[in-house]
Amino acid sequence: MTHADPVRLHRELERIWRTPGGLGRLSAVNHTVLGRRFIIAAFVFFAIGGILSMLIRAQLASPRSAFVGPDLYNQIFTMHGTVMMFLFAIPMFEGLAIYFLPKMLGARDLAFPRLTAYGFWCYVFGGSILVAALLFGAAPDSGWFMYTPLSSGRYSPGINADVWLLGITFVEISAMAAAVELTVSILKMRAPGMSLARMPIFAWYILVTAGMMLVGFPPLILGSILLEMERAFDLPFFDPTRGGDALLWQHLFWLFGHPEVYIIFLPAAGMISTILPVLVGHRLLGYSWIVVSVAAMGFLSFGLWVHHMFTVGIPHLAQAFFSAASVLVAVPTGVQIFLWIGTLMAGRPRPTLPMLYLVGFFAVFVCGGLTGVMLAIVPFDWQAHDTHFVVAHMHYVLVGGFVFPMLAAAYYYLPHFSGRKPLYGVGHVAFWLIFVGFNATFLVMHLTGLLGMPRRYHTYESGYGWDWLNLVSSIGGFVTAMGFALVAFDFIFQFRFGRVADRNPWDSGGLEWATATPPPAYAFASIPTVEGREPLAADPDLGQKLAAGDGYLAAARNDWQETLVVDMATGRPEAIQLLPQPTFLPLATALSTGTVVLSLLFKVYPLALAATAATLCLFLAWTRATGATVDRGEIDAGRGLRLPIHAEVRRPLSWWGMSFVLVADATIFASLLFGALFLWLVAPGWPPPALAEVPPTLLGAAALALVLAAIGGAWALAALGKGSGLSGTLLAALAATAGTALLVWATLLVPTPTAHAHLATTAAILAYAAFHAALGAIFALFGLRRIHAGKVTARRSADLSIGALWHGYTAASGVVALAFVALVPWLAGIGRVMP
């Protein structure tokens, strides 16, 4: 499959892969375009968050300031934290990963381009709702952590809190889409020969981060849904007067919140591990140790959430456990830092601007880590909790651990984005303004915290020794803002006036520099074979060879956008993936999803139901371009290799995508059961005065229906070798429909869910099972339609395999849910008769 004319090859690939101009740009699904858009949008939100921080520092510059009132101040500091955590940090690393990972891995795009586009629009629309609310004076004002009961309907009437709950849930759709996209792409979309042991170190960081997102974000999504249901429908999940508990929100929030610190830090650390060896001219020391330490950080981060709750009255044994875990997580962090320092010492650091930002990272982040160890010690945390010391620590960790490395990466990779060299004189001035201003702001804030100044207060009295310290912090904040403004101007000037850069200006061995700079939409004219961790170092002419067609898929055919799918562990080629063309469907689906959010925000529930149905129909419309009515068999992939297309393999990328979706789904379910058990064991007002005694026969019938649906899905898949799978799919459709009806009936039998948290959690658990059964019925009906259209055979079994996967999960989670509902009244009866 070698292309005879490289010029013609590039022209044909450009025609096939390009994004249309004009309004057609809104149909973009290409990872290069979307990665840039994520990054630009994140920078815009960063600027908004920075302006809000300046308003905070202006208010606190002097005692009894009248710059802004308490109501507006609460909105400003809530939105500052929300913007920086949810709308800047996470989307920024998503954008970098979306832009660079295919190029680093030797692929032409990510696994699910339309999902990436949908996630981008959800991010922009959700963030715009939050910012618009601030402009109209209706922004959330309960803190970026939204602690209950302050954020409940009784103490925060109006839509301010609803804006946060619904807007952030909307944005989290983007994060979950990116997590699935990145996980599948890293595991399955690599160049031939790139085994897991040969992956770029940045890919390992993003793989662990995406896995953490799949497990860490669902508790927050569940908590937001439960709190919104309490505010909208008076379901008492967090109301202690009716069996709820405000601490349940803190547990759900920090189950997300503390892993998020590492979700933010790890991609930045991945950039350090990527660019530091290049800047010092020495390979990265301890590749395997770094991989192990990253995985250890990801695992340990989920055992630290109570670190934020030492002062809420938890038992001393739990405090000791979580204190030890909080100290232990410093070990894998220290391993990475010492290996970076060792790499520095083994090489010769170049006096470049990216190197300067890395030095700033080491100075700031290490200090933040030391104060983190201090706060992990319970007696000290009791003294410093809710003071400016905690604010200073958080900024040292997040700004030091994320912003400084990202600025280093920005200056390192700007030639890749723009094809031009940066104007270093401006960049150096900006660095020193940022470094000096940041330390003046937050180093001093440690002292105000130790002197007892509480955080989140809009004003303070004179005479406590805080006056001059706050003034210094405010001056430092404005100096920092000047530095970031210079960085923005420097970036703009580089794109417009910078000198043309060489193709690989840093002499990197990474595959991302084998593309043209800036890169074309298809990244590689042909796909390379990888035999080491630094392909470009082993063969400096690799980029020219790939451009000339000396690789796989070195010809354009059938107007297909093609890339390779490989074995997860070894990197052996398995299939040819055909990617979707530009389409407006992701934009339309995101607009429909946004309509659902806005309808819920303004409590127009009929419109919300209609928009939900429209969103489902739009998702189904995505499938119109997929599937085939003939088996193609193996086709030429180049270099004498023949492979099937992705739809004709046993487990296509869509199957893997659904598998990771179900990982996140199972985390939501586990969090829901955790919440129900937590309330039963800890909350006041238990056991409840009235129990949700749903008839056991109804629960048993519902469980049987779910199991039959799973059997039908498996039967349909197994029968494809001899037939169409019609009988099994029909059984799955009928059983899932019956299960949905029975579960909805069981939910409606729960008496007065607003009376007690036990009744509300029981209804929520049954509703969860009913929702999944209903989706199972839709999957089965979709399978029937595909069978009727002739798009399902033994080779093309993806539609039925995904349906079988969903039915199996629905049966497993549904049986657990129904057993839980049935056993709780029985356990309550035992508890009442025991002395």
Side-chain angles (χ1 to χ4, degrees):
M1 193 180 176
T2 302
H3 202 284
D5 184 357
V7 175
R8 183 182 174 189
L9 170 63
H10 285 271
R11 287 176 177 171
E12 291 180 352
L13 289 174
E14 180 62 28
R15 177 182 60 81
I16 294 170
W17 286 80
R18 72 180 182 88
T19 298
L23 290 177
R25 296 179 187 276
L26 299 177
S27 68
V29 296
N30 183 264
H31 80 280
T32 297
V33 175
L34 293 172
R36 288 172 176 164
R37 289 180 180 178
F38 263 103
I39 293 169
I40 292 171
F43 268 121
V44 170
F45 284 118
F46 178 69
I48 293 171
I51 293 171
L52 295 175
S53 70
M54 293 301 95
L55 296 176
I56 293 172
R57 287 315 322 167
Q59 171 67 16
L60 297 178
S62 60
R64 289 179 289 182
S65 173
F67 182 68
V68 296
D71 293 337
L72 181 57
Y73 181 84
N74 287 339
Q75 293 187 36
I76 289 172
F77 96 80
T78 299
M79 283 297 297
H80 168 68
T82 299
V83 167
M84 290 305 195
M85 299 294 283
F86 295 99
L87 303 182
F88 163 63
I90 292 174
M92 175 59 74
F93 97 72
E94 290 173 1
L96 286 170
I98 289 167
Y99 179 90
F100 279 115
L101 271 176
K103 302 172 182 65
M104 290 180 171
L105 298 174
R108 285 177 172 162
D109 210 323
L110 296 169
F112 310 114
R114 293 179 297 181
L115 185 63
T116 303
Y118 173 68
F120 170 74
W121 293 117
C122 287
Y123 160 53
V124 170
F125 294 157
S128 299
I129 290 172
L130 288 161
V131 173
L134 179 64
L135 296 177
F136 287 101
D141 53 5
S142 301
W144 70 274
F145 34 78
M146 292 295 289
Y147 281 171
T148 55
L150 178 61
S151 57
S152 65
R154 178 179 299 178
Y155 300 103
S156 293
I159 67 169
N160 301 63
D162 300 305
V163 168
W164 193 97
L165 295 169
L166 294 169
I168 290 300
T169 302
F170 194 11
V171 172
E172 294 304 290
I173 294 174
S174 170
M176 298 308 296
V180 172
E181 174 78 280
L182 296 173
T183 303
V184 176
S185 298
I186 293 170
L187 292 176
K188 300 293 292 182
M189 306 279 282
R190 307 196 298 269
M194 185 180 285
S195 63
L196 289 177
R198 292 174 179 172
M199 279 204 317
I201 193 67
F202 182 69
W204 275 110
Y205 277 94
I206 297 299
L207 180 61
V208 173
T209 303
M212 293 173 65
M213 292 168 67
L214 289 173
V215 180
F217 281 36
L220 176 63
I221 295 173
L222 174 67
S224 299
I225 293 172
L226 295 182
L227 183 52
E228 180 59 26
M229 289 175 68
E230 177 173 306
R231 291 178 56 85
F233 305 113
D234 197 31
L235 298 179
F237 299 107
F238 308 102
D239 183 356
T241 65
R242 292 178 288 163
D245 196 325
L247 287 184
L248 175 59
W249 170 263
Q250 290 198 36
H251 281 288
L252 293 175
F253 182 86
W254 290 117
L255 275 168
F256 147 83
H258 202 88
E260 189 199 22
V261 174
Y262 299 94
I263 289 170
I264 292 172
F265 168 68
L266 285 179
M271 277 297 172
I272 296 170
S273 293
T274 299
I275 69 179
L276 179 64
V278 179
L279 295 177
V280 303
H282 194 280
R283 64 177 178 82
L284 179 67
L285 298 182
Y287 173 97
S288 299
W289 282 102
I290 286 181
V291 171
V292 172
S293 68
V294 170
M297 286 182 69
F299 176 78
L300 291 172
S301 67
F302 288 96
L304 310 181
W305 80 91
V306 181
H307 171 96
H308 299 268
M309 301 172 61
F310 284 156
T311 61
V312 303
I314 62 174
H316 288 177
L317 181 61
Q319 290 180 345
F321 173 82
F322 287 102
S323 177
S326 300
V327 174
L328 183 62
V329 78
V331 174
T333 309
V335 168
Q336 295 173 73
I337 290 175
F338 282 118
L339 287 171
W340 292 333
I341 293 174
T343 305
L344 271 169
M345 296 176 65
R348 287 188 173 183
R350 301 188 223 173
T352 60
L353 188 54
M355 192 71 238
L356 193 60
Y357 275 103
L358 290 183
V359 172
F361 153 78
F362 280 111
V364 174
F365 182 75
V366 170
C367 292
L370 292 175
T371 57
V373 173
M374 294 167 65
L375 289 169
I377 308 304
V378 175
F380 182 84
D381 184 83
W382 284 350
Q383 302 301 316
H385 188 73
D386 270 344
T387 69
H388 272 215
F389 187 95
V390 177
V391 178
H393 155 72
M394 183 175 66
H395 282 82
Y396 262 79
V397 169
L398 294 180
V399 176
F402 184 79
V403 175
F404 276 91
M406 284 304 179
L407 287 175
Y411 276 106
Y412 178 86
Y413 278 118
L414 270 174
H416 199 289
F417 283 93
S418 65
R420 297 177 180 272
K421 297 178 181 179
L423 309 174
Y424 282 112
V426 177
H428 279 84
V429 174
F431 167 80
W432 287 111
L433 287 173
I434 293 171
F435 185 78
V436 173
F438 172 82
N439 283 284
T441 302
F442 295 104
L443 183 63
V444 172
M445 201 175 289
H446 286 94
L447 299 178
T448 57
L450 292 175
L451 290 173
M453 182 172 179
R455 56 178 172 170
R456 307 168 195 157
Y457 280 36
H458 80 284
T459 189
Y460 57 94
E461 296 293 329
S462 184
Y464 292 99
W466 307 336
D467 303 25
W468 71 273
L469 294 173
N470 274 297
L471 181 60
V472 171
S473 286
S474 295
I475 293 173
F478 282 95
V479 171
T480 307
M482 292 168 57
F484 283 120
L486 268 184
V487 168
F489 283 118
D490 196 18
F491 290 171
I492 295 171
F493 290 157
Q494 176 183 340
F495 273 85
R496 188 166 181 84
F497 303 113
R499 292 174 297 168
V500 175
D502 299 330
R503 185 164 185 159
N504 184 6
W506 304 102
D507 295 324
S508 168
L511 203 53
E512 70 271 24
W513 292 103
T515 69
T517 51
Y522 49 87
F524 300 97
S526 58
I527 295 177
T529 299
V530 172
E531 298 178 352
R533 292 176 187 160
E534 296 185 341
L536 206 56
D539 185 0
D541 297 326
L542 180 60
Q544 288 80 1
K545 293 178 181 178
L546 297 177
D550 187 15
Y552 295 100
L553 301 180
R557 58 185 166 192
N558 303 331
D559 286 343
W560 285 349
Q561 294 186 358
E562 297 177 297
T563 191
L564 291 180
V565 178
V566 300
D567 176 74
M568 190 178 297
T570 65
R572 175 179 52 83
E574 287 186 338
I576 297 173
Q577 181 75 16
L578 307 183
L579 298 171
Q581 302 284 347
T583 171
F584 288 99
L585 278 174
L587 173 59
T589 310
L591 285 171
S592 180
T593 310
T595 303
V596 175
V597 172
L598 291 174
S599 301
L600 293 173
L601 179 62
F602 294 107
K603 297 180 172 48
V604 187
Y605 297 118
L607 178 58
L609 290 174
T612 300
T615 303
L616 177 60
C617 291
L618 285 168
F619 273 121
L620 290 174
W622 290 28
T623 65
R624 293 180 62 186
T626 64
T629 56
V630 295
D631 291 336
R632 297 182 181 274
E634 293 185 342
I635 60 176
D636 186 19
R639 292 191 169 187
L641 180 67
R642 296 185 67 82
L643 295 170
I645 62 172
H646 69 283
E648 297 182 10
V649 297
R650 182 168 173 265
R651 291 182 175 177
L653 296 186
S654 52
W655 187 92
W656 287 105
M658 178 58 72
S659 299
F660 290 113
V661 167
L662 292 178
V663 169
D665 198 345
T667 307
I668 289 180
F669 181 54
S671 301
L672 181 57
L673 294 184
F674 163 80
L677 289 172
F678 174 83
L679 294 178
W680 184 277
L681 297 172
V682 175
W686 290 73
L691 293 170
E693 296 181 355
V694 182
T697 53
L698 178 58
L699 297 177
L704 178 61
L706 298 182
V707 171
L708 285 175
I711 292 172
W715 177 22
L717 198 58
L720 283 180
K722 300 178 181 179
S724 64
L726 179 63
S727 299
T729 307
L730 183 60
L731 173 62
L734 294 173
T737 303
T740 303
L742 292 170
L743 287 165
V744 170
W745 184 12
T747 305
L748 295 175
L749 288 179
V750 176
T752 322
T754 58
H756 194 275
H758 160 63
L759 304 175
T761 54
T762 301
I765 291 170
L766 291 171
Y768 174 91
F771 174 75
H772 284 72
L775 286 182
I778 292 172
F779 274 112
L781 292 172
F782 177 75
L784 290 173
R785 178 182 175 186
R786 299 289 263 196
I787 291 171
H788 182 264
K791 294 185 176 181
V792 176
T793 65
R795 276 184 174 271
R796 291 175 276 113
S797 61
D799 296 317
L800 297 192
S801 65
I802 293 171
L805 189 63
W806 183 271
H807 295 312
Y809 171 79
T810 300
S813 61
V815 168
V816 172
L818 294 170
F820 185 90
V821 170
L823 287 174
V824 165
W826 178 72
L827 292 173
I830 293 177
R832 285 172 177 169
V833 300
M834 290 181 65

